[in-house]
Amino acid sequence: MSQRTRIKLYAVLCMAGLLALAAREIDFGPTINLQRDIVILNDGIADEEMLAMLQDFLHRRFSLPVHVVKKPLALPAAARPKKPQWDMKDLLEAVISRVRGEGRCVLLTCKDTYTRDMNWSTGLARCNGTTAIVSVCRLNPSFWGDAYDRAWHYKRVRKIVLHELGHTFGQCDHCGDWACAIHGSGSIGEIDQTGEDYCKRCDAIANAAIAAIRGEPKTAR
Ligand SMILES: [Zn+2]
Ligand SMILES: [Zn+2]
């Protein structure tokens, strides 16, 4: 084998190793069943009370086991922000590449985030996907110059988590009903205007997806 061939082979092996590392699935341990459970992946949230609130809320709302886990999220170099904000799509893809299962994984992050068509964004998910990103940064009233109000902050977090999970449950478009959590919002004021839970129609879509996660047979129509 020539020196040049050896160097090429070494480079290929290094590249394969890096790709394997980037795509390695997160090991959540034996107590978490990603086929069924909801996992809140804590990305830098120091407010333990918020995490406990969300865990309890999602468990009561969907009757699925909910876990909060803190695992470092290895991001490819390309996902590092070029400004103080992080690209939601990069974060979503980083989680998708490391999580497998039919349950749901919500990355709850303290990072300030944007999307390619909005200069800030609080959430992103793929329709019928299993993963969602929610940033609590701009949901904090203090961000907008209001006095800190924990109940207000938590209410916004619940709404956005329900909204993004609703997309993963199969509500691909935004709902036209302002009273529904899956109504679209283009400002923090509009987030406050939207409802705190799904409308009847979006609830039915979510229920069908949750029944499938639980492995329940489809109900006859
Ligand atoms: Zn949406
Ligand atoms: Zn709706």
Side-chain angles (χ1 to χ4, degrees):
M1 196 185 288
S2 73
Q3 178 75 4
R4 191 172 287 176
T5 314
R6 221 174 276 142
I7 290 170
K8 269 188 194 162
L9 185 65
Y10 180 70
V12 166
L13 286 173
C14 282
M15 190 59 81
L18 282 173
L19 284 173
L21 192 70
R24 199 166 58 194
E25 284 175 36
I26 298 174
D27 179 8
F28 288 113
T31 56
I32 296 180
N33 176 1
L34 278 177
Q35 290 304 114
R36 176 205 60 193
D37 301 353
I38 297 176
V39 172
I40 301 166
L41 196 53
N42 175 9
D43 184 38
I45 309 279
D47 185 349
E48 298 283 339
E49 216 169 300
M50 177 191 284
L51 295 161
M53 173 283 296
L54 195 58
Q55 182 176 21
D56 179 58
F57 169 72
L58 291 176
H59 175 63
R60 280 187 291 108
R61 180 63 185 80
F62 297 119
S63 302
L64 291 171
V66 183
H67 308 270
V68 176
V69 293
K70 189 168 183 154
K71 290 272 179 186
L73 185 66
L75 292 171
R80 300 270 143 79
K82 289 136 200 98
K83 47 185 182 174
Q85 287 175 294
W86 293 69
D87 187 329
M88 278 251 162
K89 194 164 167 278
D90 289 339
L91 289 174
L92 186 66
E93 276 165 14
V95 181
I96 287 172
S97 68
R98 303 199 60 208
V99 175
R100 297 277 178 278
E102 295 302 314
R104 294 294 182 270
C105 183
V106 181
L107 182 84
L108 198 71
T109 184
C110 61
K111 293 176 170 76
D112 188 15
T113 47
Y114 71 99
T115 58
R116 278 159 208 183
D117 49 0
M118 283 191 289
N119 57 13
W120 63 272
S121 173
T122 57
L124 187 68
R126 277 192 199 155
C127 181
N128 287 313
T130 55
T131 306
I133 309 281
V134 172
S135 165
V136 305
C137 174
R138 294 192 187 224
L139 300 176
N140 186 339
S142 309
F143 184 94
W144 305 97
D146 292 307
Y148 185 65
D149 180 329
R150 180 182 285 164
W152 193 6
H153 192 188
Y154 287 9
K155 189 202 257 191
R156 286 172 172 169
V157 171
R158 286 193 300 270
K159 276 187 196 183
I160 301 300
V161 170
L162 273 190
H163 179 105
E164 301 307 335
L165 281 176
H167 286 315
T168 74
F169 291 142
Q171 176 52 281
C172 299
D173 301 315
H174 282 149
C175 180
D177 183 351
W178 274 101
C180 176
I182 308 185
H183 193 280
S185 299
S187 67
I188 195 72
E190 288 188 359
I191 289 172
D192 287 334
Q193 277 179 61
T194 59
E196 289 179 58
D197 206 340
Y198 303 146
C199 69
K200 223 173 154 186
R201 192 177 141 264
C202 294
D203 195 41
I205 294 171
N207 282 340
I210 292 159
I213 293 170
R214 288 203 203 104
E216 292 167 3
K218 279 184 184 165
T219 47
R221 296 190 177 196

